[in-house]
Amino acid sequence: IAALRDLPASAPPRTRHLAFLLGGATDATGRPALVAGARVRRGRMSLGLELQLVAPLSLDAGDGATVRVSQYGVDAAPCFHVSRFALCGLATAGVIGGAGDQLAHATSVWRPALAVGARVEASVPVLPRVALRLHVDALQALTSSRFTVDEMPVWTSEPRQLWVGGGVQAVFP
């Protein structure tokens, strides 16, 4: 009996895996985005990186002129997992670009875009290594951008954003 007491207690197995993500998201205005990324998970903690490509927006600037707004970003998402749910912090770095077309002094400009926020996520397994992922992101912008035509604003970045997304994740142990 003394020998049994001296045996080390077995630790519960740790969850370690790499997941690849592909999906889409939309903001409160209905503007779609493609999301692709990867996440490394160990136990209840994970760290993910995601590339977000927002669909370009074409705005009428009058007299046949347009302004095209493009947005690209990379999200870092450290997460805490409980069962199929996760609570994540978000840090986003990217660029917002504006380009004028058929304007007297048309130019293209790119501005940095930084934001922080939080994500609530749920994963629903559909196959042993495949799950559906749903998430809601709330972001606070740290930078702002405005594109003007003849000193009149035609587009201004939102200081707060709400995104809803979904997609597929493939998990590899």
Side-chain angles (χ1 to χ4, degrees), residues 53-93:
L53 307 171
V54 180
L57 181 62
S58 186
L59 303 166
D60 182 14
D63 296 330
T66 59
V67 173
R68 183 179 170 102
V69 179
S70 302
Q71 187 173 353
Y72 310 99
V74 175
D75 299 338
C79 299
F80 178 75
H81 299 263
V82 176
S83 184
R84 295 182 179 156
F85 300 95
L87 181 60
C88 310
L90 286 176
T92 300

mmCIF file of all heavy atoms in Angstrom, residues 53-93:
data_model
loop_
_atom_site.group_PDB
_atom_site.id
_atom_site.type_symbol
_atom_site.label_atom_id
_atom_site.label_comp_id
_atom_site.label_asym_id
_atom_site.label_seq_id
_atom_site.Cartn_x
_atom_site.Cartn_y
_atom_site.Cartn_z
ATOM 1 N N LEU A 53 -9.922 40.308 -45.117
ATOM 2 C CA LEU A 53 -9.996 41.086 -46.356
ATOM 3 C C LEU A 53 -11.436 41.566 -46.504
ATOM 4 O O LEU A 53 -12.327 40.779 -46.797
ATOM 5 C CB LEU A 53 -9.608 40.223 -47.554
ATOM 6 C CG LEU A 53 -8.268 39.503 -47.457
ATOM 7 C CD1 LEU A 53 -8.110 38.520 -48.601
ATOM 8 C CD2 LEU A 53 -7.135 40.494 -47.433
ATOM 9 N N VAL A 54 -11.653 42.858 -46.294
ATOM 10 C CA VAL A 54 -12.994 43.432 -46.353
ATOM 11 C C VAL A 54 -13.303 43.783 -47.804
ATOM 12 O O VAL A 54 -12.450 44.326 -48.516
ATOM 13 C CB VAL A 54 -13.095 44.680 -45.444
ATOM 14 C CG1 VAL A 54 -14.488 45.275 -45.492
ATOM 15 C CG2 VAL A 54 -12.717 44.320 -44.012
ATOM 16 N N ALA A 55 -14.515 43.488 -48.235
ATOM 17 C CA ALA A 55 -14.925 43.792 -49.612
ATOM 18 C C ALA A 55 -14.811 45.291 -49.866
ATOM 19 O O ALA A 55 -15.225 46.103 -49.039
ATOM 20 C CB ALA A 55 -16.357 43.328 -49.845
ATOM 21 N N PRO A 56 -14.237 45.686 -51.000
ATOM 22 C CA PRO A 56 -14.113 47.109 -51.314
ATOM 23 C C PRO A 56 -15.489 47.772 -51.420
ATOM 24 O O PRO A 56 -16.473 47.146 -51.821
ATOM 25 C CB PRO A 56 -13.402 47.140 -52.661
ATOM 26 C CG PRO A 56 -12.827 45.783 -52.836
ATOM 27 C CD PRO A 56 -13.658 44.845 -52.034
ATOM 28 N N LEU A 57 -15.508 49.030 -51.086
ATOM 29 C CA LEU A 57 -16.733 49.820 -51.112
ATOM 30 C C LEU A 57 -16.547 50.933 -52.132
ATOM 31 O O LEU A 57 -15.552 51.660 -52.095
ATOM 32 C CB LEU A 57 -16.979 50.398 -49.718
ATOM 33 C CG LEU A 57 -18.202 51.235 -49.474
ATOM 34 C CD1 LEU A 57 -19.467 50.420 -49.703
ATOM 35 C CD2 LEU A 57 -18.181 51.770 -48.053
ATOM 36 N N SER A 58 -17.484 51.071 -53.052
ATOM 37 C CA SER A 58 -17.419 52.128 -54.062
ATOM 38 C C SER A 58 -18.494 53.162 -53.754
ATOM 39 O O SER A 58 -19.677 52.832 -53.680
ATOM 40 C CB SER A 58 -17.614 51.538 -55.456
ATOM 41 O OG SER A 58 -17.410 52.526 -56.439
ATOM 42 N N LEU A 59 -18.056 54.406 -53.556
ATOM 43 C CA LEU A 59 -18.968 55.489 -53.172
ATOM 44 C C LEU A 59 -19.103 56.508 -54.287
ATOM 45 O O LEU A 59 -18.113 56.888 -54.921
ATOM 46 C CB LEU A 59 -18.438 56.185 -51.911
ATOM 47 C CG LEU A 59 -18.217 55.287 -50.708
ATOM 48 C CD1 LEU A 59 -17.388 55.994 -49.670
ATOM 49 C CD2 LEU A 59 -19.550 54.865 -50.144
ATOM 50 N N ASP A 60 -20.310 56.972 -54.527
ATOM 51 C CA ASP A 60 -20.579 58.003 -55.523
ATOM 52 C C ASP A 60 -20.140 59.351 -54.965
ATOM 53 O O ASP A 60 -20.574 59.761 -53.889
ATOM 54 C CB ASP A 60 -22.070 58.022 -55.846
ATOM 55 C CG ASP A 60 -22.423 59.045 -56.911
ATOM 56 O OD1 ASP A 60 -21.505 59.559 -57.582
ATOM 57 O OD2 ASP A 60 -23.633 59.332 -57.059
ATOM 58 N N ALA A 61 -19.259 60.044 -55.695
ATOM 59 C CA ALA A 61 -18.779 61.357 -55.273
ATOM 60 C C ALA A 61 -19.383 62.470 -56.126
ATOM 61 O O ALA A 61 -18.947 63.612 -56.061
ATOM 62 C CB ALA A 61 -17.253 61.403 -55.341
ATOM 63 N N GLY A 62 -20.389 62.159 -56.934
ATOM 64 C CA GLY A 62 -21.069 63.155 -57.766
ATOM 65 C C GLY A 62 -20.421 63.326 -59.126
ATOM 66 O O GLY A 62 -19.223 63.124 -59.294
ATOM 67 N N ASP A 63 -21.221 63.679 -60.117
ATOM 68 C CA ASP A 63 -20.773 63.929 -61.491
ATOM 69 C C ASP A 63 -20.003 62.746 -62.084
ATOM 70 O O ASP A 63 -19.034 62.933 -62.816
ATOM 71 C CB ASP A 63 -19.918 65.196 -61.573
ATOM 72 C CG ASP A 63 -20.696 66.445 -61.215
ATOM 73 O OD1 ASP A 63 -21.925 66.462 -61.461
ATOM 74 O OD2 ASP A 63 -20.091 67.397 -60.677
ATOM 75 N N GLY A 64 -20.399 61.519 -61.748
ATOM 76 C CA GLY A 64 -19.756 60.329 -62.299
ATOM 77 C C GLY A 64 -18.465 59.929 -61.604
ATOM 78 O O GLY A 64 -17.856 58.934 -61.964
ATOM 79 N N ALA A 65 -18.031 60.688 -60.626
ATOM 80 C CA ALA A 65 -16.806 60.361 -59.901
ATOM 81 C C ALA A 65 -17.114 59.375 -58.771
ATOM 82 O O ALA A 65 -18.214 59.350 -58.233
ATOM 83 C CB ALA A 65 -16.188 61.632 -59.322
ATOM 84 N N THR A 66 -16.132 58.567 -58.447
ATOM 85 C CA THR A 66 -16.293 57.591 -57.357
ATOM 86 C C THR A 66 -15.062 57.597 -56.454
ATOM 87 O O THR A 66 -13.974 58.005 -56.865
ATOM 88 C CB THR A 66 -16.496 56.156 -57.889
ATOM 89 O OG1 THR A 66 -15.376 55.799 -58.684
ATOM 90 C CG2 THR A 66 -17.780 56.042 -58.693
ATOM 91 N N VAL A 67 -15.269 57.117 -55.249
ATOM 92 C CA VAL A 67 -14.180 56.874 -54.304
ATOM 93 C C VAL A 67 -14.291 55.410 -53.889
ATOM 94 O O VAL A 67 -15.360 54.954 -53.488
ATOM 95 C CB VAL A 67 -14.273 57.797 -53.071
ATOM 96 C CG1 VAL A 67 -13.236 57.416 -52.034
ATOM 97 C CG2 VAL A 67 -14.125 59.258 -53.482
ATOM 98 N N ARG A 68 -13.194 54.699 -54.026
ATOM 99 C CA ARG A 68 -13.161 53.277 -53.663
ATOM 100 C C ARG A 68 -12.395 53.127 -52.349
ATOM 101 O O ARG A 68 -11.256 53.572 -52.243
ATOM 102 C CB ARG A 68 -12.492 52.488 -54.769
ATOM 103 C CG ARG A 68 -12.466 51.005 -54.537
ATOM 104 C CD ARG A 68 -11.790 50.328 -55.740
ATOM 105 N NE ARG A 68 -11.517 48.945 -55.500
ATOM 106 C CZ ARG A 68 -12.246 47.957 -55.981
ATOM 107 N NH1 ARG A 68 -13.294 48.217 -56.733
ATOM 108 N NH2 ARG A 68 -11.920 46.710 -55.731
ATOM 109 N N VAL A 69 -13.042 52.496 -51.359
ATOM 110 C CA VAL A 69 -12.443 52.292 -50.049
ATOM 111 C C VAL A 69 -12.125 50.806 -49.885
ATOM 112 O O VAL A 69 -13.001 49.956 -50.063
ATOM 113 C CB VAL A 69 -13.390 52.761 -48.915
ATOM 114 C CG1 VAL A 69 -12.771 52.519 -47.552
ATOM 115 C CG2 VAL A 69 -13.741 54.235 -49.094
ATOM 116 N N SER A 70 -10.874 50.500 -49.554
ATOM 117 C CA SER A 70 -10.422 49.121 -49.344
ATOM 118 C C SER A 70 -9.875 48.991 -47.929
ATOM 119 O O SER A 70 -9.314 49.940 -47.385
ATOM 120 C CB SER A 70 -9.313 48.757 -50.335
ATOM 121 O OG SER A 70 -9.764 48.922 -51.660
ATOM 122 N N GLN A 71 -10.029 47.792 -47.350
ATOM 123 C CA GLN A 71 -9.569 47.579 -45.981
ATOM 124 C C GLN A 71 -9.022 46.168 -45.823
ATOM 125 O O GLN A 71 -9.647 45.198 -46.253
ATOM 126 C CB GLN A 71 -10.726 47.797 -45.019
ATOM 127 C CG GLN A 71 -10.347 47.773 -43.569
ATOM 128 C CD GLN A 71 -11.520 48.169 -42.673
ATOM 129 O OE1 GLN A 71 -12.572 48.576 -43.140
ATOM 130 N NE2 GLN A 71 -11.314 48.039 -41.386
ATOM 131 N N TYR A 72 -7.829 46.076 -45.218
ATOM 132 C CA TYR A 72 -7.172 44.804 -44.963
ATOM 133 C C TYR A 72 -6.628 44.837 -43.542
ATOM 134 O O TYR A 72 -6.170 45.869 -43.076
ATOM 135 C CB TYR A 72 -5.998 44.575 -45.928
ATOM 136 C CG TYR A 72 -6.358 44.786 -47.371
ATOM 137 C CD1 TYR A 72 -6.053 45.981 -48.017
ATOM 138 C CD2 TYR A 72 -7.025 43.801 -48.088
ATOM 139 C CE1 TYR A 72 -6.397 46.178 -49.337
ATOM 140 C CE2 TYR A 72 -7.372 44.002 -49.415
ATOM 141 C CZ TYR A 72 -7.052 45.193 -50.033
ATOM 142 O OH TYR A 72 -7.390 45.393 -51.341
ATOM 143 N N GLY A 73 -6.667 43.703 -42.855
ATOM 144 C CA GLY A 73 -6.147 43.687 -41.498
ATOM 145 C C GLY A 73 -5.707 42.317 -41.050
ATOM 146 O O GLY A 73 -6.073 41.294 -41.627
ATOM 147 N N VAL A 74 -4.906 42.308 -39.990
ATOM 148 C CA VAL A 74 -4.471 41.090 -39.326
ATOM 149 C C VAL A 74 -4.916 41.193 -37.874
ATOM 150 O O VAL A 74 -4.644 42.193 -37.210
ATOM 151 C CB VAL A 74 -2.938 40.910 -39.407
ATOM 152 C CG1 VAL A 74 -2.485 39.701 -38.605
ATOM 153 C CG2 VAL A 74 -2.486 40.798 -40.850
ATOM 154 N N ASP A 75 -5.624 40.158 -37.406
ATOM 155 C CA ASP A 75 -6.102 40.110 -36.026
ATOM 156 C C ASP A 75 -5.259 39.135 -35.222
ATOM 157 O O ASP A 75 -5.017 38.015 -35.673
ATOM 158 C CB ASP A 75 -7.561 39.629 -35.957
ATOM 159 C CG ASP A 75 -8.528 40.535 -36.686
ATOM 160 O OD1 ASP A 75 -8.197 41.712 -36.886
ATOM 161 O OD2 ASP A 75 -9.620 40.061 -37.040
ATOM 162 N N ALA A 76 -4.832 39.560 -34.040
ATOM 163 C CA ALA A 76 -4.215 38.657 -33.063
ATOM 164 C C ALA A 76 -5.276 38.406 -32.004
ATOM 165 O O ALA A 76 -5.874 39.358 -31.486
ATOM 166 C CB ALA A 76 -2.975 39.277 -32.452
ATOM 167 N N ALA A 77 -5.521 37.120 -31.702
ATOM 168 C CA ALA A 77 -6.606 36.774 -30.787
ATOM 169 C C ALA A 77 -6.156 35.757 -29.749
ATOM 170 O O ALA A 77 -6.190 34.551 -29.994
ATOM 171 C CB ALA A 77 -7.799 36.228 -31.574
ATOM 172 N N PRO A 78 -5.728 36.233 -28.567
ATOM 173 C CA PRO A 78 -5.480 35.296 -27.478
ATOM 174 C C PRO A 78 -6.826 34.917 -26.850
ATOM 175 O O PRO A 78 -7.653 35.788 -26.585
ATOM 176 C CB PRO A 78 -4.617 36.100 -26.503
ATOM 177 C CG PRO A 78 -4.945 37.521 -26.791
ATOM 178 C CD PRO A 78 -5.352 37.600 -28.238
ATOM 179 N N CYS A 79 -7.059 33.611 -26.654
ATOM 180 C CA CYS A 79 -8.374 33.150 -26.199
ATOM 181 C C CYS A 79 -8.270 32.236 -24.979
ATOM 182 O O CYS A 79 -7.283 31.529 -24.797
ATOM 183 C CB CYS A 79 -9.085 32.368 -27.307
ATOM 184 S SG CYS A 79 -9.401 33.314 -28.800
ATOM 185 N N PHE A 80 -9.342 32.245 -24.205
ATOM 186 C CA PHE A 80 -9.535 31.332 -23.080
ATOM 187 C C PHE A 80 -10.736 30.464 -23.420
ATOM 188 O O PHE A 80 -11.823 30.984 -23.683
ATOM 189 C CB PHE A 80 -9.785 32.108 -21.785
ATOM 190 C CG PHE A 80 -10.037 31.223 -20.601
ATOM 191 C CD1 PHE A 80 -8.993 30.541 -19.990
ATOM 192 C CD2 PHE A 80 -11.317 31.056 -20.106
ATOM 193 C CE1 PHE A 80 -9.216 29.717 -18.907
ATOM 194 C CE2 PHE A 80 -11.557 30.233 -19.022
ATOM 195 C CZ PHE A 80 -10.510 29.558 -18.409
ATOM 196 N N HIS A 81 -10.556 29.120 -23.429
ATOM 197 C CA HIS A 81 -11.585 28.192 -23.871
ATOM 198 C C HIS A 81 -12.222 27.452 -22.700
ATOM 199 O O HIS A 81 -11.529 27.021 -21.778
ATOM 200 C CB HIS A 81 -10.986 27.151 -24.827
ATOM 201 C CG HIS A 81 -10.405 27.748 -26.060
ATOM 202 N ND1 HIS A 81 -11.095 27.805 -27.238
ATOM 203 C CD2 HIS A 81 -9.206 28.330 -26.301
ATOM 204 C CE1 HIS A 81 -10.346 28.389 -28.158
ATOM 205 N NE2 HIS A 81 -9.193 28.711 -27.603
ATOM 206 N N VAL A 82 -13.524 27.304 -22.760
ATOM 207 C CA VAL A 82 -14.276 26.469 -21.839
ATOM 208 C C VAL A 82 -15.255 25.673 -22.695
ATOM 209 O O VAL A 82 -16.137 26.255 -23.328
ATOM 210 C CB VAL A 82 -15.041 27.306 -20.787
ATOM 211 C CG1 VAL A 82 -15.891 26.399 -19.903
ATOM 212 C CG2 VAL A 82 -14.081 28.122 -19.948
ATOM 213 N N SER A 83 -15.040 24.360 -22.735
ATOM 214 C CA SER A 83 -15.864 23.481 -23.544
ATOM 215 C C SER A 83 -15.816 23.944 -24.999
ATOM 216 O O SER A 83 -14.742 24.072 -25.557
ATOM 217 C CB SER A 83 -17.292 23.435 -23.001
ATOM 218 O OG SER A 83 -18.080 22.524 -23.721
ATOM 219 N N ARG A 84 -16.945 24.240 -25.603
ATOM 220 C CA ARG A 84 -16.997 24.664 -27.010
ATOM 221 C C ARG A 84 -16.977 26.171 -27.172
ATOM 222 O O ARG A 84 -17.129 26.685 -28.276
ATOM 223 C CB ARG A 84 -18.257 24.109 -27.658
ATOM 224 C CG ARG A 84 -18.241 22.617 -27.732
ATOM 225 C CD ARG A 84 -19.468 22.099 -28.404
ATOM 226 N NE ARG A 84 -19.384 20.646 -28.474
ATOM 227 C CZ ARG A 84 -20.409 19.868 -28.570
ATOM 228 N NH1 ARG A 84 -21.613 20.365 -28.627
ATOM 229 N NH2 ARG A 84 -20.248 18.559 -28.626
ATOM 230 N N PHE A 85 -16.808 26.899 -26.094
ATOM 231 C CA PHE A 85 -16.868 28.355 -26.131
ATOM 232 C C PHE A 85 -15.499 28.962 -25.848
ATOM 233 O O PHE A 85 -14.661 28.337 -25.198
ATOM 234 C CB PHE A 85 -17.886 28.876 -25.120
ATOM 235 C CG PHE A 85 -19.269 28.371 -25.378
ATOM 236 C CD1 PHE A 85 -19.745 27.242 -24.727
ATOM 237 C CD2 PHE A 85 -20.088 28.997 -26.305
ATOM 238 C CE1 PHE A 85 -21.015 26.752 -24.975
ATOM 239 C CE2 PHE A 85 -21.352 28.515 -26.567
ATOM 240 C CZ PHE A 85 -21.818 27.395 -25.899
ATOM 241 N N ALA A 86 -15.304 30.195 -26.330
ATOM 242 C CA ALA A 86 -14.047 30.904 -26.075
ATOM 243 C C ALA A 86 -14.341 32.386 -25.894
ATOM 244 O O ALA A 86 -15.238 32.943 -26.534
ATOM 245 C CB ALA A 86 -13.078 30.704 -27.231
ATOM 246 N N LEU A 87 -13.576 32.991 -25.021
ATOM 247 C CA LEU A 87 -13.589 34.439 -24.825
ATOM 248 C C LEU A 87 -12.197 34.919 -25.205
ATOM 249 O O LEU A 87 -11.199 34.429 -24.669
ATOM 250 C CB LEU A 87 -13.922 34.795 -23.380
ATOM 251 C CG LEU A 87 -13.978 36.282 -23.061
ATOM 252 C CD1 LEU A 87 -15.043 36.984 -23.915
ATOM 253 C CD2 LEU A 87 -14.261 36.497 -21.591
ATOM 254 N N CYS A 88 -12.156 35.856 -26.147
ATOM 255 C CA CYS A 88 -10.879 36.276 -26.713
ATOM 256 C C CYS A 88 -10.690 37.783 -26.611
ATOM 257 O O CYS A 88 -11.649 38.548 -26.700
ATOM 258 C CB CYS A 88 -10.805 35.897 -28.195
ATOM 259 S SG CYS A 88 -11.221 34.197 -28.578
ATOM 260 N N GLY A 89 -9.456 38.185 -26.491
ATOM 261 C CA GLY A 89 -9.085 39.572 -26.704
ATOM 262 C C GLY A 89 -8.743 39.725 -28.176
ATOM 263 O O GLY A 89 -8.388 38.752 -28.840
ATOM 264 N N LEU A 90 -8.858 40.922 -28.701
ATOM 265 C CA LEU A 90 -8.517 41.171 -30.110
ATOM 266 C C LEU A 90 -7.611 42.383 -30.221
ATOM 267 O O LEU A 90 -7.854 43.406 -29.574
ATOM 268 C CB LEU A 90 -9.771 41.430 -30.943
ATOM 269 C CG LEU A 90 -10.660 40.263 -31.288
ATOM 270 C CD1 LEU A 90 -11.901 40.735 -32.029
ATOM 271 C CD2 LEU A 90 -9.914 39.259 -32.140
ATOM 272 N N ALA A 91 -6.607 42.271 -31.047
ATOM 273 C CA ALA A 91 -5.770 43.400 -31.435
ATOM 274 C C ALA A 91 -5.670 43.346 -32.952
ATOM 275 O O ALA A 91 -5.273 42.326 -33.519
ATOM 276 C CB ALA A 91 -4.394 43.301 -30.801
ATOM 277 N N THR A 92 -6.079 44.408 -33.602
ATOM 278 C CA THR A 92 -6.126 44.454 -35.061
ATOM 279 C C THR A 92 -5.185 45.522 -35.587
ATOM 280 O O THR A 92 -5.190 46.650 -35.096
ATOM 281 C CB THR A 92 -7.562 44.761 -35.543
ATOM 282 O OG1 THR A 92 -8.425 43.739 -35.069
ATOM 283 C CG2 THR A 92 -7.646 44.822 -37.049
ATOM 284 N N ALA A 93 -4.393 45.157 -36.591
ATOM 285 C CA ALA A 93 -3.524 46.102 -37.290
ATOM 286 C C ALA A 93 -3.747 45.911 -38.781
ATOM 287 O O ALA A 93 -3.808 44.781 -39.263
ATOM 288 C CB ALA A 93 -2.066 45.861 -36.936
#
